[in-house]
Amino acid sequence: MFKKILIANRGEIALRIIRSCKELGVETVAVYSEADRDSLHVKFADEAVCIGPPPSRESYLNIPRLIAAAEITNSDAIHPGYGFLAENAQFSEICESSGIKFIGPRPAMITAMGDKALAKETMRNAGIPVVPGSDGIIEDLAEAKKMAESIGYPVIIKATAGGGGKGMRLAWSPDEFERQFQMARTEAEAAFGNGSVYIEKYVEQPRHIEFQVLGDQYGEVIHLGERECSIQRRHQKLIEESPSPFMDAELREKMGAAAIKGSKSVKYEGAGTIEFLVDKNRNFYFMEMNTRIQVEHPVTEQVVGLDLVREQIAVAAGAKVSKKKLRQVGHAIECRVNAEDPSKGFRPNPGTISGFHTPGGYGVRTDTHAYAGYTIPPYYDSLIAKQIAFGATREEVVDRMYRALEEFVIEGVATTIPFHMKVMKDARFRKGDFDTHFLDSFNFSD
Ligand code: MV4
């Protein structure tokens, strides 16, 4: 096992990682920007190093400063959390060449899965269903247009450097195609410095269902069931749950086998997520693979009964993945509580939290770095807390989540709690009858 882990992150996930390290008996080093001096991750870690001014570029994204902090503290591993440098191949490479274990997959894996067209090609070759489309990137407009005709409209044009919805364009008919194709390329070039795009059949009203996988250094990979992540707004997930209300044993068996086959084919190491699109007819298609621990990992932990961060650290240290059959028991839902005002288009709302009380009781878990008097800095994402509810049945857990949200007091900043309470009372949500368009028609203001 590692002796000391540096956590190259902030907020709730930094705390989350520190907690697992403590239980493992591993020492921890927090890093913080000047805006995060008063953060809990700084107080909870054994040591803390200031790595620079508030902007991420000069602190949490600054590779030389992170490596220096790891070296002066004698850390033998770095946990990147999610966001920031978690999927930066260069960072994982520099860790490796500095003799520091990067807790995550190898640089080549991050690069391969970060290129969305290449990731799709890799999974297609492994025999995983992918959305019909161009095999790889497509340069020429005339060729692209021919491709779109043969796929059949509507088609979606995606940036290979994108992911998470950035650089995506839809074309419903041939007369829209040229414009959307050029727009996608221009946007991709501007956003990623890489204008390469690929084309797919547009799957209408899909669900986003993802599988948690865990691979060890010996080629073994297990899956820990699925998460339903269709409740999103502008490609930001707001509510996640496990299991998916759409899932049945047969589909889980097929999708889980595909997730394992895909991960094994690349000898995936560490915690990863295979994202699928699932259509109304239960056809599923590989979409992307995320090579990090995800925000929504707690819903999997609560139904599988496993500390995923602990497992992630253990496999990075050379442990084998468990061979015993793990399965999802009961139900768990997570609501992301952001410092955003749902009645004002989810406008970010940084500021000082004057009053703070987290819910408790049976089947309730709150992952947060916030406290009364804490000031949410304007520089980073606006996640204040992840409210998780769990129990035997989905019905029970939806009601428990409502009860927990009612108990949750956050004063001084507007939050997404009122939005979540509305969703918990929504008839379609309660029935499990939703897809990725659920929030398109949702009334946020009353
Ligand atoms: C799609 C799609 C429909 N058809 N691909 C959005 C994020 C990026 N990972 C891929 N995304 C989509 N790809 C095809 N061929 C619809 C989406 C999509 C979406 C996917 C998951 C969750 C929410 C979404 C919201 C809008 C579009």
Side-chain angles (χ1 to χ4, degrees):
M1 186 38 68
F2 305 112
K3 214 179 153 297
K4 197 189 272 188
I5 296 177
L6 179 140
I7 297 110
N9 215 301
R10 62 179 301 283
E12 71 83 20
I13 193 63
L15 264 183
R16 170 71 192 82
I17 297 162
I18 290 169
R19 287 176 170 143
S20 289
C21 290
K22 289 200 169 171
E23 292 183 21
L24 281 165
V26 175
E27 289 175 70
T28 52
V29 179
V31 294
Y32 61 98
S33 76
E34 285 161 15
D36 278 339
R37 279 186 194 287
D38 300 324
S39 283
L40 280 191
H41 75 284
V42 177
K43 295 187 182 39
F44 280 26
D46 298 307
E47 293 169 71
V49 180
C50 182
I51 49 163
S56 306
R57 300 241 145 259
E58 298 175 59
S59 50
Y60 300 105
L61 290 173
N62 190 307
I63 296 175
R65 286 185 189 160
L66 289 162
I67 298 292
E71 283 176 344
I72 58 167
T73 55
N74 260 318
S75 301
D76 49 356
I78 293 185
H79 196 305
Y82 54 69
F84 295 123
L85 296 169
E87 288 169 288
N88 185 305
Q90 201 201 344
F91 182 54
S92 90
E93 184 143 21
I94 292 170
C95 288
E96 209 170 81
S97 62
S98 308
I100 302 161
K101 177 68 186 175
F102 175 84
I103 302 177
R106 293 172 186 285
M109 183 80 63
I110 300 176
T111 303
M113 293 301 139
D115 181 318
K116 303 306 168 189
L118 176 59
K120 189 181 169 190
E121 173 77 13
T122 305
M123 292 303 166
R124 194 172 60 90
N125 289 338
I128 311 310
V130 300
V131 188
S134 60
D135 299 333
I137 59 171
I138 197 150
E139 306 275 353
D140 178 69
L141 172 66
E143 197 194 326
K145 208 157 175 180
K146 241 189 274 165
M147 177 60 68
E149 293 291 343
S150 81
I151 298 166
Y153 286 92
V155 298
I156 189 164
I157 305 142
K158 295 181 176 180
T160 193
K166 271 180 268 161
M168 266 178 26
R169 285 271 158 178
L170 257 177
W172 288 91
S173 65
D175 50 292
E176 275 185 0
F177 185 79
E178 178 168 349
R179 190 182 133 77
Q180 299 296 64
F181 183 74
Q182 305 293 15
M183 289 278 268
R185 288 171 57 108
T186 308
E187 279 176 12
E189 183 61 48
F192 315 112
N194 174 359
S196 299
V197 298
Y198 61 106
I199 303 171
E200 286 181 346
K201 177 83 185 169
Y202 179 59
V203 181
E204 294 186 57
Q205 297 176 334
R207 285 183 178 249
H208 171 144
I209 300 177
E210 59 186 32
F211 273 71
Q212 177 70 52
V213 297
L214 187 67
D216 64 23
Q217 294 173 10
Y218 318 99
E220 192 59 51
V221 181
I222 58 170
H223 84 74
L224 303 166
E226 82 284 2
R227 292 185 288 260
E228 166 67 65
C229 302
S230 297
I231 311 282
Q232 311 201 354
R233 181 182 171 276
R234 298 191 179 167
H235 304 297
Q236 282 286 104
K237 293 170 187 163
L238 296 175
I239 301 171
E240 305 95 343
E241 59 184 294
S242 184
S244 165
F246 191 70
M247 194 59 71
D248 57 40
E250 189 193 338
L251 185 58
R252 181 174 297 116
E253 185 62 36
K254 281 201 290 187
M255 291 179 71
I260 289 180
K261 196 167 153 193
S263 309
K264 274 193 178 166
S265 79
V266 295
K267 295 197 168 21
Y268 190 81
E269 280 174 41
T273 299
I274 309 251
E275 295 184 351
F276 293 103
L277 282 177
V278 184
D279 72 16
K280 285 194 287 270
N281 302 318
R282 300 183 175 267
N283 298 305
F284 63 91
Y285 308 98
F286 168 81
M287 190 162 52
E288 290 175 19
M289 180 165 198
N290 301 320
T291 57
R292 59 170 189 274
I293 190 82
Q294 293 198 223
V295 177
E296 61 271 27
H297 76 274
V299 295
T300 299
E301 296 186 321
Q302 294 308 143
V303 296
V304 174
L306 203 72
D307 174 342
L308 265 170
V309 174
R310 183 189 180 108
E311 298 305 317
Q312 186 189 26
I313 294 169
V315 297
K320 291 182 174 174
V321 293
S322 163
K323 280 263 177 52
K324 72 167 191 256
K325 185 96 179 129
L326 293 161
R327 47 184 211 102
Q328 294 152 278
V329 177
H331 204 92
I333 301 180
E334 171 181 280
C335 290
R336 298 193 190 186
V337 177
N338 294 314
E340 292 171 5
D341 190 341
S343 69
K344 297 196 172 87
F346 287 77
R347 190 167 76 193
N349 205 264
T352 298
I353 295 174
S354 49
F356 194 73
H357 173 80
T358 53
Y362 185 75
V364 167
R365 164 177 172 185
T366 311
D367 280 17
T368 183
H369 60 296
Y371 53 87
Y374 175 69
T375 299
I376 303 157
Y379 306 99
Y380 317 109
D381 82 9
S382 60
L383 186 74
I384 311 173
K386 303 192 300 205
Q387 184 55 55
I388 300 117
F390 52 95
T393 67
R394 184 171 190 271
E395 262 186 328
E396 168 191 324
V397 173
V398 173
D399 289 334
R400 179 164 301 135
M401 179 63 86
Y402 188 87
R403 185 273 289 174
L405 293 166
E406 254 184 336
E407 271 180 45
F408 210 154
V409 179
I410 304 180
E411 286 165 342
V413 297
T415 77
T416 49
I417 290 174
F419 156 78
H420 288 301
M421 291 176 77
K422 273 189 70 180
V423 176
M424 294 307 125
K425 294 292 185 196
D426 181 90
R428 278 189 55 207
F429 178 78
R430 294 179 72 91
K431 274 192 290 183
D433 167 28
F434 54 81
D435 57 47
T436 55
H437 298 286
F438 176 74
L439 294 182
D440 297 356
S441 58
F442 197 80
N443 185 352
F444 297 104
S445 13
D446 58 37

